[in-house]
Amino acid sequence: MKTNNFRGRDWIDAELDYSKEEWETLIDVALDLKRRHALGEDQTHILKGKTLFTMFFNQSLRTRSTFATGIQQLGGFHVDLEPGKTYTPARKGYEVPYKTERISDVARLLNRIGDAIAIRMYGPPAHWIYGFANSTMKEFAEYAEIPVINMECDKFHPTQALADLITIKEKFGTFKGLNLTMSWAYSGSIEKPRAVPQSVVLAATKMGMNVTLAHPEGFELDPEVIKKCKEFAKSSGGSFRIINDFDEGFKGAHIVYPKAWGSVYCFKYTDDEGKIIKENDLKKAEEVNEKNKHWRTTKKQIELMDKDGIYMHCLPADRGQEVDDDVIDGPRSVVIDEAENRLHAHKAIMALLMGGRL
Ligand code: CP
């Protein structure tokens, strides 16, 4: 296991920037830390004296609690720079006098005083402009040498994808030969990022799984993500297909991951210079959403899976809309294991990127 390639690196587009071998190392380190923690090992030497800054522009339970707990278990310290209580970091052109502060100034200061900056941003704080939040994180990275960690943007949620892979490795011991379906599911909320499905299909094809992406028309993912999935599947020996049929995605699947994400009409799109070239259309978004209420996981779909198949969801779940209670609380569901694994995933990321003594 080579762990010296990680120190100081950013974790923003991690599915694209980290190799398959590096993802395997992160999974191994996370599982090792999890086992050692369960045995009662004191791990506070690993990041003793190091400081993690977090900035949540959106709500969070799992990500917030597991980063804070994780850095504490590793002996470091967590400072929550709550946007609105600090001067909210802003990009040029989006500044408000005495309310915001230019990112270049914020990032250069944090770089002098701490050891990593972790950011969550999508949706309203990113003006629903697709890619705005991802670019914001990259602007932090441009001005800070310490690692910038993506805790979910409008394109990717790589810490979630790592926890998902850890969970799959625990349940099946391998990735090879597994059929994973990432499926859209109905929710009463039409405005959701597509970070989770994009990260999951990229990470799963990278690891060599047979990946099916299932969604109704209008819920297509970023074409660049689809292109990469095809490339990853080819080089890893896995496969990738897209279908528009909910039940079909469950047939023979070892892993199903049905969750809601925003339709293509939720987002505004810009050109390379940041000029808006397509506005969002919430009326159309509501229309395509309501047409597909039947994309809800019930026992009927679960019976179509492989006999050892598991149900995954990143949580929070919209019960009664995305999924029935007897599925998410049923024997195939691994959602609480998956959520717990956020802790171990984040500890591995912080330990490796922040120069931990493992
Ligand atoms: N899955 C996830 O990221 O959960 P939170 O929004 O609670 O952090």
Side-chain angles (χ1 to χ4, degrees), residues 165-189:
L165 291 186
I166 292 165
T167 310
I168 293 168
K169 186 78 190 284
E170 285 183 316
K171 302 296 174 193
F172 295 98
T174 183
F175 299 114
K176 210 78 204 143
L178 292 181
N179 303 328
L180 176 146
T181 296
M182 179 81 234
S183 176
W184 184 81
Y186 172 78
S187 159
S189 161

Side-chain angles (χ1 to χ4, degrees), residues 18-64:
Y18 285 73
S19 68
K20 180 171 183 273
E21 291 70 27
E22 288 168 337
W23 275 80
E24 279 165 354
T25 297
L26 280 152
I27 294 164
D28 286 350
V29 169
L31 287 171
D32 186 44
L33 289 170
K34 180 176 182 176
R35 184 182 56 80
R36 286 158 51 188
H37 181 70
L39 292 171
E41 181 188 272
D42 181 354
Q43 300 177 336
T44 54
H45 63 285
I46 295 176
L47 288 178
K48 192 171 164 48
K50 304 260 185 183
T51 301
L52 171 75
F53 297 111
T54 57
M55 280 177 220
F56 286 92
F57 289 82
N58 309 84
Q59 69 272 33
S60 164
L61 169 65
R62 281 143 288 271
T63 312
R64 183 186 282 275

Side-chain angles (χ1 to χ4, degrees), residues 203-218:
T205 49
K206 178 162 267 193
M207 304 316 283
M209 288 189 249
N210 301 315
V211 178
T212 297
L213 172 64
H215 60 73
E217 274 180 42

Side-chain angles (χ1 to χ4, degrees), residues 52-56 67 78-82 116-119 151:
L52 171 75
F53 297 111
T54 57
M55 280 177 220
F56 286 92
F67 264 106
H78 159 244
V79 180
D80 186 14
L81 299 173
E82 199 177 320
I117 306 167
I119 306 168
M151 299 193 293

Side-chain angles (χ1 to χ4, degrees), residues 62-293:
R62 281 143 288 271
T63 312
R64 183 186 282 275
S65 59
T66 52
F67 264 106
T69 305
I71 188 83
Q72 185 184 322
Q73 288 182 3
L74 297 177
F77 191 69
H78 159 244
V79 180
D80 186 14
L81 299 173
E82 199 177 320
K85 289 202 178 154
T86 60
Y87 307 97
T88 303
R91 293 166 63 179
K92 193 174 174 185
Y94 292 88
E95 294 159 295
V96 181
Y98 209 45
K99 282 200 184 310
T100 66
E101 186 164 1
R102 182 78 62 87
I103 286 173
S104 54
D105 295 337
V106 179
R108 283 181 298 169
L109 170 65
L110 299 180
N111 185 58
R112 295 241 185 132
I113 59 178
D115 302 284
I117 306 167
I119 306 168
R120 164 169 289 195
M121 180 194 262
Y122 54 78
H127 316 283
W128 285 107
I129 298 171
Y130 182 67
F132 185 97
N134 184 267
S135 302
T136 300
M137 291 184 190
K138 288 177 181 163
E139 196 164 318
F140 270 95
E142 193 183 328
Y143 292 99
E145 285 165 21
I146 56 176
V148 173
I149 299 172
N150 178 355
M151 299 193 293
E152 186 172 6
C153 69
D154 40 15
K155 284 187 156 184
F156 304 119
H157 195 353
T159 64
Q160 178 69 55
L162 181 60
D164 296 339
L165 291 186
I166 292 165
T167 310
I168 293 168
K169 186 78 190 284
E170 285 183 316
K171 302 296 174 193
F172 295 98
T174 183
F175 299 114
K176 210 78 204 143
L178 292 181
N179 303 328
L180 176 146
T181 296
M182 179 81 234
S183 176
W184 184 81
Y186 172 78
S187 159
S189 161
I190 56 167
E191 290 186 302
K192 290 197 179 197
R194 46 190 181 190
V196 171
Q198 297 199 149
S199 283
V200 169
V201 290
L202 284 167
T205 49
K206 178 162 267 193
M207 304 316 283
M209 288 189 249
N210 301 315
V211 178
T212 297
L213 172 64
H215 60 73
E217 274 180 42
F219 292 89
E220 289 77 14
L221 298 184
D222 184 333
E224 287 297 317
V225 169
I226 300 303
K227 187 167 157 246
K228 275 285 167 195
C229 284
K230 289 178 183 165
E231 283 172 28
F232 286 165
K234 201 168 171 196
S235 62
S236 67
S239 63
F240 180 67
R241 65 171 180 154
I242 303 175
I243 60 172
N244 299 123
D245 185 311
F246 190 48
D247 287 359
E248 183 62 28
F250 286 80
K251 288 183 189 161
H254 299 102
I255 301 127
V256 291
Y257 203 137
K259 83 164 295 295
W261 64 82
S263 70
V264 295
Y265 307 107
C266 285
F267 308 101
K268 300 171 192 167
Y269 301 89
T270 57
D271 62 16
D272 290 345
E273 266 97 60
K275 190 169 160 282
I276 292 181
I277 50 171
K278 195 160 193 280
E279 289 287 346
N280 53 357
D281 182 346
L282 296 185
K283 195 165 165 277
K284 189 90 178 133
E286 191 72 48
E287 216 175 280
V288 290
N289 205 50
E290 292 309 302
K291 234 172 79 181
N292 293 293
K293 269 190 162 160

